[in-house]
């Protein structure tokens, strides 16, 4: 039984009690000592096991971006499913007045690790904090930490990046491109390295309607691009930023494209692969069904649909959308690292690129996704629902902006007036502006459709299915049942983001019924008002 099918067979049970029980068997009978693993490899070109999970026995992994959404799920999965790992080093920078070590102590208390903390808390001791910053020269590492990584790391997962579509060119370039070069330069010196996985995006080539699993020429030579970022004054870069951006809708896709070209230049010196996820969404099954910890992108839009605060979205509903659950992405990263290590022993093996997408394997139209989302919002409302859920996709910008003004901002300002009268802090207008900004930055991706080729991903999925532990590392979305997944996703937003447990469901449904009643009364009142106006006009004409 695959992870996907098992997840949905447990659906009803989870809906009733938000069970935290694992959805797959985590017993590892092939490891005699799962806490310590096998002896550490003695060199980069040591033999590589043909099986996925044993490949990680005794290995040390280095993860950048470990505190992000994808990074947290990856680390949790590595610890739980590859418990033979020796160490997971994570790069952490000081932030908001906290040192790297202080942030690390907060990190290991995160809810994503609850299952590990309850069942195998000793596995969390395998995570080691490395103080540093992806934006600093040589990653801001101390000499001691640098030597530790060089001497011990076998597998690198480079997940760190800025995913803000409206990031300035300099900031995006430093984090996405310059930072990646620093990682690659460090990897070149690693003595026991067997695999490097670079996480890019399926939208790194947005001007191409069909995207193969290859690295396309970037708009600018990556080394010249880095020199421009490092040498030119900020005002000059800002002035030429639009020209550099070219056909790219934002600095995120531009810098990701340039970075892929940079990674390709290191392929002759490093065992590299590139994984390109599309829009990363809540988990299918792991660490929990529907798990999500942010309101970025489509998650925030779905949350506001559930709260009834969104009535119009600029989107071509006829297009096939492309989303990929976060646990599927993590399984792909883990499997891709394994296969890259296998291929690194062949001099003729090219660098593999994996389009980690769903559109060509098990696609769903925006219209269908929106319909299911709205149904779930009505069936399982949150106690934070503000208005009756109901929205439409639109391609007419004028109509969209008009509806946005009348049904988004006007109610938001009215709510804020009421909140001021009641002596509470007004927040609705701020929320409306925030999600308008999120919708605007994602509009390009909602109005276009891409064909992502998946030959390498399909082949990887076949290899994983043939592996003895294949069910635990499913990277195939062909069995994903969208309606069940979206319902679990919406419940996940309710539970993990809004912190709204199932115990409030009856209360929320009663509240929604009242909102529907108010909506109907207002509609009837509006019709009566229009009828009255028409009658008065006819009476005036007769006079």
């Amino acid at each position: 039984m695959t992870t996907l099918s098992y997840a949905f067979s447990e659906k009803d049970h989870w809906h009733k009690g938000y069970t935290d029980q694992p959805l797959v068997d985590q017993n590892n009978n092939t490891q005699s000592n799962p806490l310590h693993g096998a002896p550490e490899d003695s060199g980069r070109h040591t033999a590589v096991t043909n099986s996925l999970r044993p490949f990680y026995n005794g290995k040390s992994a280095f993860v950048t971006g470990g505190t992000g959404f994808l990074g947290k799920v990856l680390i949790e999965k590595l610890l739980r499913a590859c418990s033979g790992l020796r160490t997971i080093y994570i790069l952490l920078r000081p932030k908001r007045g906290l040192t790297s070590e202080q942030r690390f102590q907060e990190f290991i208390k995160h809810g994503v690790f609850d299952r590990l903390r309850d069942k195998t808390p000793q596995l969390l001791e395998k995570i080691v904090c490395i103080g540093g910053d992806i934006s600093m020269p040589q990653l801001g590492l101390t000499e001691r930490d640098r030597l530790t990584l060089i001497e011990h790391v076998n597998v690198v997962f480079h997940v760190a990046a800025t995913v803000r579509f409206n990031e300035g060119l300099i900031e995006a370039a430093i984090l996405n491109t310059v930072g990646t070069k620093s990682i690659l330069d460090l990897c070149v010196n690693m003595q026991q390295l067997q695999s490097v996985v670079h996480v890019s995006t399926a939208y790194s080539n947005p001007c191409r309607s069909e995207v193969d699993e290859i690295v396309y020429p970037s708009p600018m030579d990556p080394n010249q691009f880095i020199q421009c970022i490092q040498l030119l004054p900020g005002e000059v870069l800002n002035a030429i930023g639009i020209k550099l951006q070219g056909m790219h809708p934002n600095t995120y896709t531009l810098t990701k494209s340039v970075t892929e070209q940079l990674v390709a230049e290191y392929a002759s010196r490093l065992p590299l692969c590139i994984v390109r996820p599309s829009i990363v969404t809540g988990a299918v099954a792991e660490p929990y069904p529907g798990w999500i910890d942010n309101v970025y992108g489509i998650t925030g839009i779905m949350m506001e649909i559930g709260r009834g605060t969104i009535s119009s979205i600029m989107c071509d509903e006829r297009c096939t959308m492309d989303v990929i659950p976060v646990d599927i992405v993590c399984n792909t990263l883990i499997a891709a690292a394994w296969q890259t290590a296998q291929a690194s022993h062949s001099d003729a093996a090219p660098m593999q690129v994996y389009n980690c997408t769903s559109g060509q394997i098990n696609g769903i139209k925006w219209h269908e996704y929106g319909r299911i989302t709205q149904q779930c919002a009505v069936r399982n409302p949150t106690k934070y629902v503000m208005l009756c859920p109901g929205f439409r996709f639109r391609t007419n910008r004028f109509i969209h902006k008009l509806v946005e003004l009348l049904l988004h901002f006007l109610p938001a300002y009215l709510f804020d007036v009421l909140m001021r009268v009641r002596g509470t802090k007004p927040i609705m207008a701020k929320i409306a502006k925030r999600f308008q900004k999120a919708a605007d930055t994602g509009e390009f991706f909602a109005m276009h459709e891409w064909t992502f080729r998946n030959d390498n991903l399909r082949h990887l999925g076949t290899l994983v299915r043939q592996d003895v532990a294949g069910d635990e590392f499913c990277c195939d979305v062909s069995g994903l049942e969208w309606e069940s997944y979206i319902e679990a996703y919406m419940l996940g937003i309710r539970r993990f983001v809004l912190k709204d447990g199932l115990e409030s469901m009856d209360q929320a449904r009663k509240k929604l019924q009242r909102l529907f009643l108010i909506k109907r009364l207002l509609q009837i009142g509006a019709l009566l008002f229009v009828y009255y106006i028409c009658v008065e006009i006819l009476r005036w004409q007769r006079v």
Side-chain angles (χ1 to χ4, degrees):
M1 181 178 290
T2 66
T3 302
L4 291 178
S5 62
Y6 197 105
F8 294 130
S9 69
E10 292 290 305
K11 169 176 166 285
D12 292 337
H13 175 56
W14 181 73
H15 283 188
K16 292 175 183 177
Y18 280 138
T19 178
D20 289 343
Q21 296 302 313
L23 298 179
V24 292
D25 181 11
Q26 302 303 331
N27 294 327
N28 183 1
N29 297 323
T30 64
Q31 298 180 27
S32 59
N33 191 341
L35 299 183
H36 301 290
E40 194 166 331
D41 294 323
S42 59
R44 182 180 295 187
H45 299 290
T46 54
V48 179
T49 176
N50 290 327
S51 297
L52 197 163
R53 185 158 49 195
F55 163 72
Y56 285 95
N57 287 351
K59 299 292 194 303
S60 292
F62 177 43
V63 179
T64 68
T67 59
F69 173 50
L70 178 58
K72 284 195 287 280
V73 179
L74 173 63
I75 291 170
E76 194 273 345
K77 181 60 182 276
L78 284 170
L79 288 173
R80 183 165 44 81
C82 304
S83 55
L85 267 169
R86 181 180 296 273
T87 307
I88 298 179
Y89 298 102
I90 63 169
L91 187 69
L92 274 178
R93 64 186 173 97
K95 188 177 180 181
R96 298 193 183 100
L98 298 177
T99 65
S100 298
E101 185 59 35
Q102 288 171 329
R103 288 189 66 207
F104 175 70
Q105 294 304 320
E106 288 188 352
F107 172 71
I108 59 176
K109 296 176 184 176
H110 195 279
V112 73
F113 301 119
D114 282 349
R115 184 184 301 173
L116 286 171
R117 220 174 349 260
D118 291 342
K119 298 182 180 298
T120 51
Q122 66 273 24
L123 292 179
L124 291 172
E125 297 174 6
K126 297 189 177 192
I127 309 176
V128 175
C129 172
I130 297 291
D133 190 335
I134 197 77
S135 65
M136 297 290 289
Q138 297 184 345
L139 305 174
L141 297 174
T142 65
E143 185 60 23
R144 179 180 178 181
D145 286 342
R146 181 176 175 275
L147 288 175
T148 296
L149 296 175
I150 287 174
E151 293 174 0
H152 298 290
V153 169
N154 307 103
V155 181
V156 175
F157 295 98
H158 180 39
V159 184
T162 176
V163 295
R164 295 177 181 173
F165 292 163
N166 57 352
E167 191 79 85
L169 176 61
I170 298 175
E171 292 80 5
I174 289 174
L175 292 170
N176 292 347
T177 308
V178 180
T180 298
K181 188 177 190 306
S182 298
I183 290 290
L184 295 172
D185 287 339
L186 177 66
C187 289
V188 167
N189 294 308
M190 288 181 177
Q191 299 168 4
Q192 304 191 67
L193 187 67
Q194 293 187 0
S195 185
V196 181
V197 181
H198 171 70
V199 180
S200 184
T201 174
Y203 302 102
S204 57
N205 300 280
C207 56
R208 298 178 181 272
S209 59
E210 295 188 4
V211 181
D212 287 308
E213 292 174 305
I214 60 174
V215 175
Y216 292 95
S218 62
M220 188 175 184
D221 178 82
N223 294 298
Q224 292 180 359
F225 181 70
I226 290 173
Q227 287 179 353
C228 287
I229 296 299
Q230 293 176 333
L231 299 178
L232 292 179
E235 57 271 18
V236 175
L237 284 171
N238 290 331
I240 65 174
I242 298 298
K243 186 174 181 180
L244 284 176
Q245 197 167 308
M247 297 292 291
H248 287 264
N250 50 56
T251 58
Y252 172 69
T253 63
L254 169 67
T255 53
K256 282 295 190 179
S257 175
V258 175
T259 304
E260 282 192 6
Q261 186 69 51
L262 176 70
V263 171
E265 292 181 0
Y266 279 78
S268 61
R269 291 182 281 169
L270 291 171
L272 275 160
C273 74
I274 295 175
V275 176
R276 292 175 176 156
S278 53
I279 302 171
V280 182
T281 51
V284 176
E286 299 174 305
Y288 310 101
W291 190 84
I292 186 76
D293 74 341
N294 63 76
V295 292
Y296 299 141
I298 194 171
T299 301
I301 300 298
M302 291 173 69
M303 182 180 77
E304 293 307 311
I305 288 173
R307 296 177 68 235
T309 59
I310 286 183
S311 301
S312 180
I313 299 174
M314 279 292 291
C315 174
D316 187 345
E317 63 183 4
R318 300 166 298 177
C319 291
T320 298
M321 69 182 305
D322 208 304
V323 296
I324 192 79
V326 64
D327 44 344
I328 299 295
V329 179
C330 288
N331 290 339
T332 302
L333 297 179
I334 294 169
W338 163 57
Q339 276 304 297
T340 299
Q342 299 271 2
S344 66
H345 291 266
S346 171
D347 294 334
M351 181 183 72
Q352 294 293 296
V353 178
Y354 301 95
N355 285 340
C356 188
T357 57
S358 62
Q360 297 303 112
I361 300 174
N362 183 11
I364 183 172
K365 300 290 184 181
W366 280 103
H367 168 75
E368 184 68 7
Y369 195 97
R371 180 190 66 80
I372 297 171
T373 299
Q374 184 164 311
Q375 286 180 348
C376 293
V378 173
R379 186 162 56 243
N380 301 309
T382 170
K383 66 181 180 182
Y384 299 110
V385 62
M386 304 291 293
L387 298 168
C388 296
F391 76 99
R392 286 188 61 185
F393 290 124
R394 289 182 170 86
T395 55
N396 186 304
R397 187 175 302 280
F398 174 77
I399 298 296
H400 167 70
K401 289 297 181 183
L402 182 62
V403 173
E404 190 176 59
L405 176 65
L406 295 176
L407 299 182
H408 291 184
F409 286 100
L410 183 59
Y413 282 112
L414 290 175
F415 271 114
D416 279 355
V417 169
L418 292 175
M419 294 175 79
R420 287 182 185 276
V421 170
R422 296 174 62 181
T424 56
K425 184 179 179 181
I427 59 170
M428 293 306 298
K430 183 178 180 180
I431 292 174
K433 290 177 182 178
R434 185 176 69 193
F435 283 100
Q436 179 199 36
K437 189 175 182 180
D440 288 346
T441 56
E443 181 182 312
F444 177 84
F445 305 97
M447 295 291 289
H448 295 83
E449 180 176 310
W450 290 265
T451 299
F452 298 110
R453 305 299 181 193
N454 299 101
D455 292 343
N456 291 344
L457 181 70
R458 292 172 192 265
H459 179 63
L460 181 66
T462 299
L463 294 173
V464 170
R465 283 193 298 274
Q466 293 171 350
D467 189 80
V468 66
D471 285 353
E472 289 192 54
F473 299 95
C474 178
C475 49
D476 179 9
V477 293
S478 61
L480 183 63
E481 206 287 305
W482 284 106
E483 189 156 353
S484 297
Y485 168 66
I486 294 170
E487 182 167 17
Y489 190 5
M490 288 290 283
L491 285 168
I493 293 171
R494 192 181 192 278
R495 176 191 181 189
F496 300 111
V497 177
L498 294 173
K499 309 300 181 185
D500 185 11
L502 283 179
E503 65 277 0
S504 68
M505 186 69 78
D506 289 340
Q507 171 194 348
R509 285 172 176 157
K510 290 177 182 178
K511 182 178 180 180
L512 186 58
Q513 287 175 354
R514 291 195 298 270
L515 290 172
F516 271 120
L517 178 60
I518 293 171
K519 179 180 179 180
R520 290 288 179 258
L521 291 174
L522 289 174
Q523 288 173 336
I524 293 171
L527 287 173
L528 291 174
F529 178 74
V530 171
Y531 175 75
Y532 171 78
I533 294 297
C534 291
V535 169
E536 288 298 314
I537 291 174
L538 290 173
R539 183 183 300 173
W540 178 78
Q541 288 178 340
R542 288 174 183 173
V543 173

